[in-house]
Amino acid sequence: MTKLYRTIFLITCFAFSFAVALGQQTSDKPVRGPFTGSFVQFVQEVENQTSYRFYYDLKNVDSVRVSYPDNSAKPLETVLKQVLEGTSLFYAIDAQKRVFITPERAIRTELPIGFFERGTSTEGDTGVVDYLAEKEKRRLTLETSLFNIGRRPLRPGNANLAGHIRNAASGEPVIGAAVYIDKPRIGVITDQFGYYSITLPRGRHELLLRSIGMKDTKRQIMLYSDGKLEIEMEDDVIALKEVVIEAEKDVNVSGLQMGLERLDIRTLRQVPTAFGEADLLKVVLTLPGVKSVGESNVGLNVRGGSTDQNLILYNDATIYNPSHLFGFFSAFNPDMIKSVELYKSGIPSRYGGRLSSVLEVTTRDGNKKKLSGSGGIGVLTGRLTLEGPIIKEKSSFLIGARSTYSDWLLNSLKNQSFRNSRAAFHDLNAHITHEFNEKNTLYITGYYSQDEFRLNSDTLYRYNNQNASVKWKHIFNTKLYSVFTATTSRYKYSVASEQNPTNSYQLGFQVDQSTFKTDFNYYPTTRHTMDFGISSNYYKLRPGSFQPLGGESLVKPDVVPTEQALESAIYVGDRFDISPRLSIHFGLRYSLFNYLGPKDVYVYPNGSPKTATGIQDTLSYGAGKNIKTYHGPEYRISARYAFTPDASIKVSFNRMRQYLHMLSNTTAISPTDIWKLSDPNILPQVGDQFSLGLYKNLKNNTIETSVEGYYKTMQNVLDFRSGATLLMNHHPETEVVRAEGLAYGVEFLIKKLTGRFNGWLSYTYSRTFLRVDRSIPQERINKGEYYPSNFDKPHDATWVGNYRINRRFSVSLNFTYSTGRPITLPLAKYELGGSQRVFYSERNQYRIPDYYRADLSLNIEGNHKVKKLAHSSWTVAVYNLTGRRNAYSVYFNSTGGFVRGYKLSIFGQPIPTITYNFKF
């Protein structure tokens, strides 16, 4: 056997020596010009002429232009010297005819004589270059060191490994990182806390890690028994505006969740917006199945749902009005955001209370290692964010503030009514994280926003959001952890007028919500995971207060009585991977709603329409008395079957219940919208959605394609009587009618994740209908037949494209088109009883003109020197590039006996903006 090994060794050495000698003896074929164009074109021509192969980083050569006019045959070295003259690039050619192009200095293709005798020191040898910085050396050391996990000895079976993945520079958790081994193929994704728990066969493994914008890394582990491993990942050096999604590049196929859209801050910053600032909700509106009723409106209509059917959470606290400045800005500071998740179907059982969607916004934790900051200055707003450690490596703070200075724009307009107007907003965010020990972490978040505006009158509108949340995460063991959460949310508005002292008034509304919930996550095995918990929401609504303003006011005070209720729920979700191809999830949520006193409840006669004059009786309930109880199960079921590693089919069903309603006879979110609790006269909404999707990835998972269809039914949806009066209404049930809702559609998505050119193209065909077919004829609408809802827009297409020109310049272009929303038109005039009346079409029978818009932005990065006091960038954008006057609404006036129609547009011309961003 020894002779056999010796023979094999000698043959191998001979073959290697022969190949090297042959390579050295082969005459180097000269290259022949001329060469003109880019460096990449030059390389292609040389490789076509010879057997040389080039190796280089595209970022280093993207600005090099080649102009070599000589058409005579010359050695490659001679040509390269002339081509690279005047640049910072060098070349090196090894014996295998590999050409290495590097910046600053040439690499050495051979080790110097005596290298191994003197160790690894390269002192005094300028030809040997150490390209690895100290951090890179440390990373490689961590990747090659063996980590022993658990207690010896090694026994057969499986063991659990758990821990956190954090950013090496800031100490923040890395969300959505893939943690896996290749053989056998077992993997998990980190949650919102950067936590992972994976069950592996005991023994030696190479643990691989990948994440968005982070360097891939690995750990060598010896798993003896259950244990923990904390891991840090380093930022990848890529252009800041490039979207690179590596960790989850196949999650749309392999993941069980459907109808889920994930966004990060890189994506948010690429999409051009009206006034230059990155806007979370404007980007959400580019996703398939998500629409709004008009220009610069942040009210979301998701898969046929109204704006109040979306649960918007900011670190688990509910946001009731997510807009600033008439909807031109969203309520979220982009520098605070870490991730955004939108659930459109297959909604997890831990969420409830809304019919259509859940939008979960998560903030960053703040830098635990050093003080840093960022900010920006635009044409209308400015922002500043600071973060840093309180106790290094243990606790951190993150504080952000935004404000507007928009009055200069209003004052510069020619229209006098605008010059007399005022508009402003500001918001403040604060977040603190403290890690007591490896098992207990505390998170505290606070948010405050204030808007006020006055439109060509003395009437002053104010509204604000106030939110706070406290979360305590406790890890029981490697397979079980819990999060205890307490939040408070307040939304209130006021309308005040004091121009006429005798008629001065102040109108107010307020909704308060207090929430406590406990969530548990249990990982029995990697193939089997569970989550379960309980939650309770206490609502207190002040539906309206109309008070005199000032001592001279003769306004009669009026207060709509306070409402209160308790909504509680218990839930469980169970996911099981039956095989690598088939996964299923069963979830059940049971919700209970108690409408509480004190309250006077009006009773109306059966078989007659509810009217203020038809009140039959009034029932009075004392404080804390249970007036009405609603309850019921909410089912969450989903399954996934993978045909191949890059193709799958998914199906889901979910039932949702909603006990809180928004009363508004406008199609968009308005500061004066009223929220109303379910009571004996207004029933809770119930929605069922069935979804089916096909998913296919192309070109090594760099291109995602998907088709999702859905069918949704809704019960007890509120629609409004013609001319409904909602403000200061003591019996709003007389102004609403109970409707059935029906929505269906299909969504197409193509998304390119990597490379210089990236983005997505989406198209949605959808319909949304309502029907009011009551037994009482006076309450029927449209003769009891289905009619389009106010936000029914059958066709919707969006294209978002980003192109990275080089390391400093990138350009973004997006285009959106949608069908015009429905309206009811006046068709004729007629005489009745001696008075003139208007005859209207069927409800929502016609539509306003179709909507389309194109936006363009150029992102300019500063230089990428590491040792700089601050790094900066500029964003130059044009919103509504074509200057199209899209109709926001259509209205009619009767002048001189004629009814004339008018189209109102928000933006009728291109809106150029420039924003300066900085980071230190």
Side-chain angles (χ1 to χ4, degrees):
M1 185 65 69
T2 304
K3 291 182 179 180
L4 176 62
Y5 288 153
R6 187 179 302 167
T7 302
I8 293 173
F9 176 74
L10 290 174
I11 292 173
T12 303
C13 292
F14 175 78
F16 177 76
S17 301
F18 179 78
V20 172
L22 182 64
Q24 292 172 342
Q25 292 169 6
T26 302
S27 60
D28 294 336
K29 182 180 178 180
V31 295
R32 186 182 298 274
F35 302 107
T36 58
S38 68
F39 188 82
V40 174
Q41 293 172 323
F42 164 73
V43 169
Q44 291 173 345
E45 292 186 36
V46 172
E47 290 184 341
N48 289 336
Q49 293 183 27
T50 68
S51 57
Y52 288 102
R53 290 295 174 264
F54 283 70
Y55 299 87
Y56 55 88
D57 189 337
L58 187 62
K59 295 192 298 290
N60 295 329
V61 301
D62 57 6
S63 60
V64 175
R65 305 297 297 178
V66 177
S67 178
Y68 183 82
D70 194 344
N71 61 358
S72 60
K74 292 188 177 181
L76 179 60
E77 291 89 342
T78 303
V79 176
L80 283 173
K81 285 179 182 178
Q82 186 169 338
V83 167
L84 299 179
E85 187 177 0
T87 72
S88 61
L89 300 176
F90 292 81
Y91 74 92
I93 305 175
D94 69 2
Q96 284 74 46
K97 296 190 176 182
R98 294 177 296 188
V99 183
F100 302 95
I101 306 297
T102 53
E104 307 303 335
R105 60 172 64 187
I107 67 170
R108 187 161 188 167
T109 60
E110 300 178 69
L111 294 177
I113 297 174
F115 176 84
F116 292 102
E117 284 75 9
R118 61 178 178 172
T120 58
S121 171
T122 60
E123 207 172 309
D125 190 344
T126 59
V128 180
V129 182
D130 181 9
Y131 279 96
L132 297 177
E134 195 62 35
K135 289 195 300 183
E136 185 71 5
K137 289 182 178 179
R138 178 176 175 272
R139 184 175 72 88
L140 291 177
T141 302
L142 290 171
E143 290 183 349
T144 55
S145 300
L146 182 65
F147 293 85
N148 295 304
I149 310 297
R151 296 181 179 179
R152 294 178 174 85
L154 181 64
R155 295 186 175 89
N158 296 328
N160 184 266
L161 177 67
H164 294 87
I165 310 297
R166 293 188 171 91
N167 186 303
S170 65
E172 288 196 76
V174 179
I175 300 174
V179 183
Y180 65 99
I181 63 172
D182 264 335
K183 295 182 180 179
R185 185 75 176 189
I186 301 174
V188 295
I189 300 293
T190 58
D191 64 11
Q192 62 173 324
F193 303 103
Y195 186 79
Y196 73 94
S197 178
I198 185 170
T199 301
L200 303 171
R202 299 176 190 235
R204 176 73 180 266
H205 297 288
E206 183 175 73
L207 193 69
L208 305 174
L209 298 99
R210 294 188 305 181
S211 182
I212 299 171
M214 312 296 289
K215 288 183 179 179
D216 294 354
T217 188
K218 57 189 175 182
R219 295 294 184 269
Q220 311 298 325
I221 63 170
M222 187 67 183
L223 187 60
Y224 291 99
S225 62
D226 293 351
K228 295 183 178 180
L229 180 62
E230 302 291 310
I231 302 174
E232 289 188 340
M233 300 183 72
E234 295 179 358
D235 289 312
D236 202 359
V237 182
I238 61 174
L240 296 180
K241 301 297 180 185
E242 181 183 12
V243 179
V244 178
I245 304 177
E246 287 291 337
E248 300 179 61
K249 65 180 183 179
D250 63 346
V251 73
N252 67 311
V253 172
S254 61
L256 179 58
Q257 182 68 50
M258 68 180 301
L260 171 62
E261 304 286 353
R262 286 189 175 97
L263 300 170
D264 65 4
I265 189 59
R266 291 180 179 87
T267 309
L268 300 181
R269 286 176 176 165
Q270 288 182 353
V271 179
T273 57
F275 295 108
E277 185 176 274
D279 195 303
L280 183 158
L281 294 179
K282 296 298 190 297
V283 179
V284 169
L285 285 169
T286 68
L287 301 174
V290 185
K291 306 178 184 182
S292 73
V293 295
E295 189 92 62
S296 291
N297 186 275
V298 296
L300 305 179
N301 302 115
V302 180
R303 290 191 172 179
S306 58
T307 54
D308 69 321
Q309 293 176 352
N310 307 301
L311 179 62
I312 301 177
L313 299 174
Y314 186 68
N315 279 9
D316 286 314
T318 303
I319 301 292
Y320 281 91
N321 189 337
S323 69
H324 280 313
L325 205 66
F326 320 116
F328 292 134
F329 297 90
S330 75
F332 306 103
N333 186 336
D335 292 340
M336 298 286 295
I337 297 172
K338 184 173 185 66
S339 66
V340 181
E341 292 185 336
L342 174 68
Y343 296 89
K344 300 181 293 184
S345 65
I347 298 175
S349 53
R350 66 180 179 272
Y351 298 115
R354 300 293 190 275
L355 250 59
S356 291
S357 74
V358 177
L359 181 67
E360 186 174 34
V361 182
T362 304
T363 64
R364 299 186 294 111
D365 280 351
N367 198 318
K368 291 184 178 179
K369 299 192 175 185
K370 64 179 182 178
L371 181 66
S372 61
S374 62
I377 301 172
V379 293
L380 293 183
T381 62
R383 67 187 193 277
L384 178 65
T385 302
L386 297 174
E387 58 185 302
I390 300 174
I391 302 175
K392 197 167 184 178
E393 306 285 354
K394 298 286 288 183
S395 59
S396 62
F397 71 89
L398 176 66
I399 298 176
R402 270 193 314 172
S403 186
T404 184
Y405 31 84
S406 57
D407 285 350
W408 73 267
L409 181 62
L410 295 172
N411 291 331
S412 65
L413 299 177
K414 295 180 180 180
N415 191 312
Q416 188 62 34
S417 62
F418 288 114
R419 295 171 65 91
N420 293 334
S421 300
R422 294 291 179 268
F425 78 83
H426 62 270
D427 57 43
L428 179 66
N429 303 257
H431 182 75
I432 294 175
T433 303
H434 180 68
E435 186 177 340
F436 294 97
N437 51 48
E438 63 179 14
K439 289 190 174 184
N440 296 280
T441 307
L442 183 68
Y443 307 86
I444 302 174
T445 304
Y447 173 75
Y448 176 84
S449 72
Q450 173 85 24
D451 277 72
E452 60 179 54
F453 56 91
R454 189 193 309 268
L455 300 177
N456 192 32
S457 68
D458 74 305
T459 305
L460 179 65
Y461 296 81
R462 285 195 181 99
Y463 64 92
N464 69 48
N465 288 289
Q466 301 173 36
N467 301 81
S469 67
V470 178
K471 295 196 284 189
W472 170 38
K473 178 186 175 185
H474 176 71
I475 300 175
F476 294 93
N477 52 54
T478 58
K479 295 185 178 182
L480 176 66
Y481 79 85
S482 65
V483 180
F484 302 91
T485 305
T487 71
T488 177
S489 303
R490 169 175 290 178
Y491 172 66
K492 63 180 180 179
Y493 69 75
S494 66
V495 181
S497 175
E498 51 187 351
Q499 185 175 21
N500 187 341
T502 60
N503 294 323
S504 297
Y505 68 89
Q506 180 163 315
L507 174 71
F509 168 86
Q510 182 172 311
V511 54
D512 291 282
Q513 176 183 337
S514 299
T515 301
F516 177 79
K517 63 176 185 173
T518 303
D519 302 293
F520 292 88
N521 291 267
Y522 179 50
Y523 306 90
T525 68
T526 302
R527 295 174 57 189
H528 184 203
T529 60
M530 295 180 64
D531 60 305
F532 52 92
I534 58 174
S535 65
S536 185
N537 298 312
Y538 177 72
Y539 302 101
K540 188 170 186 178
L541 276 65
R542 296 172 175 84
S545 171
F546 190 73
Q547 300 290 342
L549 187 62
E552 299 180 32
S553 177
L554 302 179
V555 168
K556 182 181 179 181
D558 187 16
V559 176
V560 179
T562 300
E563 289 188 302
Q564 46 274 317
L566 185 67
E567 179 187 348
S568 304
I570 184 170
Y571 76 90
V572 62
D574 194 345
R575 170 181 170 155
F576 190 74
D577 296 332
I578 298 175
S579 69
R581 288 176 177 260
L582 180 62
S583 299
I584 57 174
H585 176 270
F586 294 100
L588 176 64
R589 180 184 182 91
Y590 199 94
S591 59
L592 174 69
F593 179 83
N594 301 102
Y595 188 66
L596 305 174
K599 184 69 176 177
D600 290 339
V601 178
Y602 300 113
V603 179
Y604 302 88
N606 293 326
S608 299
K610 294 182 176 67
T611 63
T613 58
I615 296 175
Q616 190 177 53
D617 195 5
T618 302
L619 303 179
S620 297
Y621 294 85
K625 294 293 184 180
N626 184 45
I627 301 172
K628 184 67 177 179
T629 298
Y630 295 104
H631 59 91
E634 303 177 27
Y635 309 103
R636 316 292 169 85
I637 304 169
S638 56
R640 183 225 65 192
Y641 182 79
F643 301 108
T644 64
D646 59 6
S648 67
I649 184 172
K650 303 178 189 179
V651 61
S652 72
F653 171 81
N654 59 248
R655 166 167 287 187
M656 310 292 289
R657 296 178 185 272
Q658 180 169 336
Y659 303 100
L660 187 62
H661 318 265
M662 186 174 71
L663 304 182
S664 173
N665 47 14
T666 64
T667 54
I669 288 182
S670 164
T672 55
D673 291 333
I674 299 170
W675 291 85
K676 176 74 177 72
L677 294 168
S678 296
D679 61 19
N681 292 308
I682 296 180
L683 304 181
Q685 302 177 55
V686 180
D688 294 324
Q689 182 181 182
F690 175 81
S691 302
L692 177 68
L694 293 171
Y695 308 84
K696 171 69 176 176
N697 285 2
L698 307 170
K699 292 190 175 181
N700 195 29
N701 290 319
T702 59
I703 297 178
E704 294 181 2
T705 65
S706 65
V707 180
E708 286 190 20
Y710 65 91
Y711 184 87
K712 181 193 292 186
T713 60
M714 295 167 280
Q715 304 171 34
N716 305 326
V717 178
L718 296 184
D719 205 350
F720 303 93
R721 301 179 190 274
S722 299
T725 300
L726 301 176
L727 287 176
M728 298 304 301
N729 194 323
H730 289 252
H731 29 72
E733 62 271 10
T734 63
E735 303 290 349
V736 300
V737 290
R738 217 171 51 195
E740 301 173 18
L742 172 64
Y744 57 85
V746 59
E747 302 166 359
F748 300 87
L749 177 66
I750 300 175
K751 183 187 294 184
K752 187 176 185 293
L753 304 175
T754 60
R756 284 192 164 197
F757 176 75
N758 56 72
W760 64 88
L761 172 66
S762 68
Y763 168 74
T764 302
Y765 174 78
S766 62
R767 299 305 308 269
T768 308
F769 299 98
L770 296 176
R771 181 172 68 178
V772 181
D773 188 16
R774 313 302 303 164
S775 58
I776 305 171
Q778 295 92 326
E779 291 190 345
R780 289 180 186 166
I781 295 178
N782 205 50
K783 302 175 184 177
E785 298 177 355
Y786 279 109
Y787 57 91
S789 71
N790 290 334
F791 36 87
D792 174 61
K793 301 167 76 173
H795 301 282
D796 186 278
T798 300
W799 179 63
V800 176
N802 309 294
Y803 182 73
R804 185 171 61 90
I805 301 170
N806 54 38
R807 286 177 292 176
R808 295 188 58 191
F809 295 90
S810 64
V811 63
S812 300
L813 175 68
N814 69 279
F815 173 84
T816 182
Y817 164 83
S818 65
T819 310
R821 63 177 178 83
I823 57 171
T824 304
L825 293 181
L827 300 181
K829 295 188 296 183
Y830 63 94
E831 297 281 343
L832 181 65
S835 61
Q836 192 176 79
R837 299 173 182 264
V838 178
F839 176 75
Y840 286 90
S841 67
E842 300 290 350
R843 181 169 290 199
N844 289 340
Q845 185 178 357
Y846 293 90
R847 295 181 179 275
I848 66 174
D850 291 354
Y851 178 96
Y852 69 80
R853 192 192 74 246
D855 309 316
L856 177 69
S857 72
L858 175 66
N859 304 301
I860 307 170
E861 296 287 341
N863 67 60
H864 291 162
K865 292 181 180 179
V866 176
K867 295 183 179 180
K868 287 183 64 178
L869 180 63
H871 294 264
S872 61
S873 66
W874 292 88
T875 299
V876 181
V878 180
Y879 182 84
N880 193 17
L881 187 64
T882 63
R884 175 173 167 82
R885 296 184 176 182
N886 289 297
Y888 182 81
S889 65
V890 173
Y891 62 95
F892 297 86
N893 282 335
S894 180
T895 305
F898 294 95
V899 177
R900 300 184 183 276
Y902 298 89
K903 183 177 73 172
L904 173 65
S905 298
I906 303 297
F907 297 116
Q909 60 186 18
I911 306 296
T913 61
I914 184 169
T915 304
Y916 174 73
N917 304 291
F918 58 88
K919 181 182 290 188
F920 58 90

